[in-house]
């Protein structure tokens, strides 16, 4: 089944404790992206990647890191989480040059205390 | 800078009526794509429809159609014969020129309520 998976789905952590949210897709997509969703703000792009070893900042990259060592995986790293990073996070993937539809993961709800 | 504006935070519509959700955009890219997504209360993001900036015809997918007016920079979603299951949050999004800046930006969304 074609899908984007994220783990964990729910996470409660404390300020400053490094964490990683994993994202994996099985559709051989070049383009992968991370978003955060906050009430009243819609989805905002954090980082995106056009292909392996190519990453670019979205609109809200501060406080986040990403890596793209393999085509299927695109982890989101919070080196020192803060309460303002409490949010719902989505990973998504698509083909880079055709097929405009993005496939979204189920979301990760993160709470930073 | 690219921008997506959805001016309707919420809408209430009677079942079986047609619905138009507004979306205006701003970009300097000559080539771009416009999308609509649905997010039901369960939280998943569901792709509905896509319109490329060079597409000559308005996109349609079943009960969904995209009213694309390039000169006015609008990309309204039209849902015909609304159903109770259409109650959800709807997001308009834009993807820029892939050869320049492949960011994707979303509007703030419109929450649609279908009344029985």
């Amino acid at each position: 089944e074609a899908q984007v998976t994220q783990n964990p789905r729910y996470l409660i952590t404390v300020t400053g404790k490094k964490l990683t949210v994993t994202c994996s897709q099985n559709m051989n997509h070049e383009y992968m992206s991370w978003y955060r969703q906050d009430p009243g703000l819609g989805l905002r792009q954090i980082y995106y990647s056009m292909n392996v070893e190519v990453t670019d900042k979205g609109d809200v990259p501060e406080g986040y890191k990403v890596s793209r060592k393999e085509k299927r995986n695109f982890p989101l790293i919070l080196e020192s989480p803060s309460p303002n990073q409490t949010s719902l996070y989505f990973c998504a993937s698509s083909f880079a040059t055709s097929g405009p539809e993005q496939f979204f993961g189920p979301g990760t709800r993160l709470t930073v205390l | 800078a690219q921008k997506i504006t959805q001016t309707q935070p919420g809408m209430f519509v009677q079942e079986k009526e047609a619905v138009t959700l507004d979306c205006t955009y701003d970009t300097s890219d000559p080539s771009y794509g416009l999308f609509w997504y649905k997010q039901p209360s369960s939280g998943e993001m569901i792709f509905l429809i896509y319109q490329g900036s060079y597409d000559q015809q308005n996109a349609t997918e079943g009960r969904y159609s995209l009213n694309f007016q390039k000169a006015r920079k609008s990309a309204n979603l039209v849902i015909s014969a609304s159903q109770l299951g259409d109650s959800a949050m709807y997001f308009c999004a834009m993807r820029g020129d892939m050869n320049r800046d492949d960011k994707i930006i979303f509007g703030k969304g419109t929450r649609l309520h279908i009344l029985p």
Side-chain angles (χ1 to χ4, degrees):
Chain A
E1 180 190 354
Q3 60 182 350
V4 178
T5 57
Q6 293 179 230
N7 282 292
R9 294 289 313 279
Y10 302 91
L11 179 60
I12 300 174
T13 189
V14 295
T15 299
K17 186 176 181 181
K18 181 179 178 180
L19 66 92
T20 299
V21 184
T22 64
C23 173
S24 182
Q25 50 92 7
N26 62 0
M27 295 166 279
N28 203 35
H29 287 161
E30 297 90 2
Y31 190 95
M32 296 188 74
S33 182
W34 276 103
Y35 300 91
R36 61 178 289 173
Q37 183 179 9
D38 302 289
L41 297 178
L43 279 80
R44 294 178 292 169
Q45 194 174 40
I46 303 170
Y47 270 96
Y48 63 97
S49 169
M50 288 292 288
N51 215 325
V52 177
E53 302 292 359
V54 179
T55 62
D56 275 298
K57 295 178 181 179
D59 285 332
V60 288
E62 293 77 20
Y64 304 95
K65 285 175 60 176
V66 293
S67 68
R68 188 90 183 273
K69 294 184 171 56
E70 307 163 280
K71 199 171 187 179
R72 63 184 293 128
N73 297 323
F74 191 45
L76 179 70
I77 303 155
L78 284 72
E79 296 268 5
S80 183
S82 62
N84 64 11
Q85 292 178 298
T86 292
S87 187
L88 177 60
Y89 291 86
F90 285 101
C91 179
S93 71
S94 67
F95 290 112
T97 57
S98 65
E101 176 183 357
Q102 283 192 102
F103 292 80
F104 278 80
T108 295
R109 187 164 292 281
L110 172 66
T111 301
V112 183
L113 302 174
Chain B
Q2 295 179 329
K3 188 176 179 181
I4 290 279
T5 302
Q6 293 181 254
T7 58
Q8 306 151 310
M11 287 183 70
F12 290 83
V13 173
Q14 208 68 40
E15 190 181 9
K16 298 188 177 66
E17 290 184 353
V19 181
T20 297
L21 303 181
D22 295 340
C23 174
T24 58
Y25 63 91
D26 193 17
T27 181
S28 56
D29 287 347
S31 174
Y32 50 90
L34 296 153
F35 312 73
W36 278 91
Y37 284 85
K38 172 184 179 181
Q39 187 181 41
S41 57
S42 51
E44 73 266 33
M45 294 290 289
I46 302 168
F47 169 77
L48 296 178
I49 197 165
Y50 168 81
Q51 178 86 40
S53 58
Y54 288 117
D55 292 343
Q56 294 296 317
Q57 293 189 320
N58 286 344
T60 61
E61 290 286 348
R63 294 186 300 113
Y64 303 107
S65 60
L66 201 152
N67 184 1
F68 181 48
Q69 297 188 41
K70 195 171 184 177
R72 297 179 62 186
K73 294 190 174 179
S74 75
N76 298 340
L77 177 70
V78 180
I79 306 174
S80 63
S82 58
Q83 303 170 356
L84 295 178
D86 294 333
S87 293
M89 194 74 163
Y90 289 81
F91 291 102
C92 179
M94 176 169 63
R95 183 170 180 176
D97 188 335
M98 287 182 286
N99 294 319
R100 289 172 48 179
D101 177 356
D102 207 13
K103 285 184 181 179
I104 298 176
I105 59 168
F106 280 75
K108 295 182 179 181
T110 295
R111 185 167 295 281
L112 177 63
H113 304 269
I114 305 298
L115 304 172

